[in-house]
Amino acid sequence: MDQDNNSEDDSVGQAEDDTQPPFPLGLSDSEAVEVLWQMRTQRRQTEPDLPDTVTRLATPEGSIVYLVGTAHFSDSSKKDVTTTIRAVQPDVVVVELCQYRVSMLKMDEKTLLKEAKDINLEKVQQAIKQNGVMSGLMQILLLKVSAHITEQLGMAPGGEFREAFKEAGKVPFCKFHLGDRPIPVTFKRAIAALSLWQKARLAWGLCFLSDPISKEDVEKCKQKDLLEQTMSEMIGEFPALHRTIVAERDIYLTHTLRQAARCVEAPPNAEKVPAVVVGVVGMGHVPGIERNWDEELNIHEIMSVAPPSRFGWVVRNVLKGAMWGLLGYACFRASKGVGRALLSFPTVQSLFENIRTPSV
């Protein structure tokens, strides 16, 4: 995502409210725009009564950001988002999504529920192609966790983001921004930050996740004290993982929210006025965004992916080759036909070719 042009690249849509009464005949375009602007201003509440999950932030220019902390599988979070957007009539809505996950905004709940439960070979291939072998496999494991929660709750993830997208389309002149760091960068930095032993422990835990999850458990995730306790436990287990998946994304989300909160031009004279922004993020990101709000941020640092060292390249490829070799041999022993099919798979052939001919 281009940081300098996020208002253009990350804007998914801008729509006028279809529920507005018809305008009087004979209005010019500029007059119609001014009337719509005034109507939105009149509907905007200056001292709104908002849910407890909403945090209010301000910029030096006077812009206001209403940060809605959500649980990603929560019906009440969807209501919190709807209430906030309708009350403050924002200029911009920013959600914790990137361009690689934007498809969930336009898919219906039934399709999303099916997709979340269905982890097939095509998804594995796509994840590996997009993120590399190790990061791709880690993404599949995290998808398995999401599928586990989906199956337990019978609810597709991201309902609050779809609600935000729908409500933003009802607010005149409201822009919709994708505010999260691209997921391939997050996965690659997360994998690079973990030792081999930590990767194995994490993969093992994700593979054998089977604890039951209730809707009450999900709603508890909206309580800041519970989130802070959970984050503390996570830091103890995998501090590097917390840094890359949570803390760095806190910084990135803070940056995109501040970009969205730049002053906007008001008709009829394009006068610069403070903006009103609604941010929709997981509750776990709210404390970090608050801490970073007035800090100087280095976005380039958290967007870089360090190239692997020569030694690391050799170790990784030896391990990958051993893993694929053992898997291929097991399949060959079970069924010669299946074994040959696996060993003819393009990813496996490419892997062995890379091992034989290391790049300079």
Side-chain angles (χ1 to χ4, degrees), residues 31-284:
E31 289 172 333
V33 166
E34 188 173 355
V35 169
L36 260 181
W37 185 277
Q38 290 173 353
M39 290 174 61
R40 187 187 66 169
T41 302
Q42 291 170 359
R43 292 166 59 184
R44 177 178 288 169
Q45 300 175 24
T46 53
E47 296 293 336
D49 183 18
L50 299 176
D52 294 336
T53 54
V54 178
T55 300
R56 188 179 183 273
L57 302 169
T59 70
E61 297 78 20
S63 295
I64 303 297
V65 175
Y66 295 95
L67 194 60
V68 187
T70 68
H72 293 317
F73 289 83
S74 167
D75 280 328
S76 65
S77 284
K78 292 160 65 174
K79 294 175 184 175
D80 291 349
V81 169
T82 300
T83 298
T84 304
I85 292 177
R86 290 182 180 179
V88 306
Q89 296 289 294
D91 298 290
V92 185
V93 171
V94 181
V95 296
E96 184 199 328
L97 288 176
C98 68
Q99 64 266 39
Y100 293 93
R101 293 176 288 158
V102 72
S103 60
M104 73 161 53
L105 294 175
K106 299 181 180 179
M107 295 170 69
D108 59 78
E109 290 279 339
K110 184 177 180 181
T111 304
L112 278 166
L113 201 58
K114 180 180 177 183
E115 286 287 318
K117 292 180 179 180
D118 181 26
I119 301 178
N120 51 37
L121 180 60
E122 183 180 351
K123 286 186 179 178
V124 175
Q125 289 176 317
Q126 183 179 359
I128 291 175
K129 182 179 179 181
Q130 180 177 294
N131 301 307
V133 175
M134 296 301 293
S135 297
L137 292 176
M138 190 60 67
Q139 181 179 352
I140 292 300
L141 288 174
L142 291 174
L143 281 175
K144 180 183 179 297
V145 174
S146 179
H148 170 68
I149 299 174
T150 298
E151 188 174 4
Q152 292 280 318
L153 301 178
M155 180 188 302
E160 73 274 31
F161 301 139
R162 289 187 291 281
E163 199 68 23
F165 183 64
K166 182 178 72 175
E167 290 298 324
K170 299 177 182 179
V171 179
F173 312 109
C174 182
K175 295 181 179 180
F176 191 89
H177 288 187
L178 306 174
D180 203 0
R181 182 171 65 179
I183 197 167
V185 176
T186 297
F187 276 123
K188 288 175 182 177
R189 286 183 63 85
I191 291 298
L194 293 176
S195 68
L196 183 61
W197 173 242
Q198 287 175 323
K199 292 172 188 175
R201 287 176 57 202
L202 179 62
W204 180 268
L206 294 175
C207 277
F208 293 95
L209 177 72
S210 59
D211 294 338
I213 299 170
S214 67
K215 291 188 177 181
E216 289 73 22
D217 293 330
V218 173
E219 291 304 318
K220 288 178 183 178
C221 287
K222 294 169 62 180
Q223 302 173 17
K224 292 187 180 181
D225 55 348
L226 179 65
L227 254 297
E228 289 173 0
Q229 177 183 344
T230 304
M231 290 301 176
S232 298
E233 294 172 358
M234 185 178 176
I235 291 171
E237 284 289 310
F238 302 103
L241 195 65
H242 176 272
R243 184 182 69 250
T244 52
I245 291 182
V246 180
E248 290 183 359
R249 288 172 61 222
D250 290 346
I251 294 172
Y252 193 97
L253 288 164
T254 303
H255 173 75
T256 51
L257 285 164
R258 293 199 316 206
Q259 293 287 309
R262 290 173 173 174
C263 290
V264 296
E265 295 181 350
N269 302 318
E271 178 187 359
K272 294 282 188 180
V273 297
V276 173
V277 177
V278 170
V280 182
V281 302
M283 181 59 76

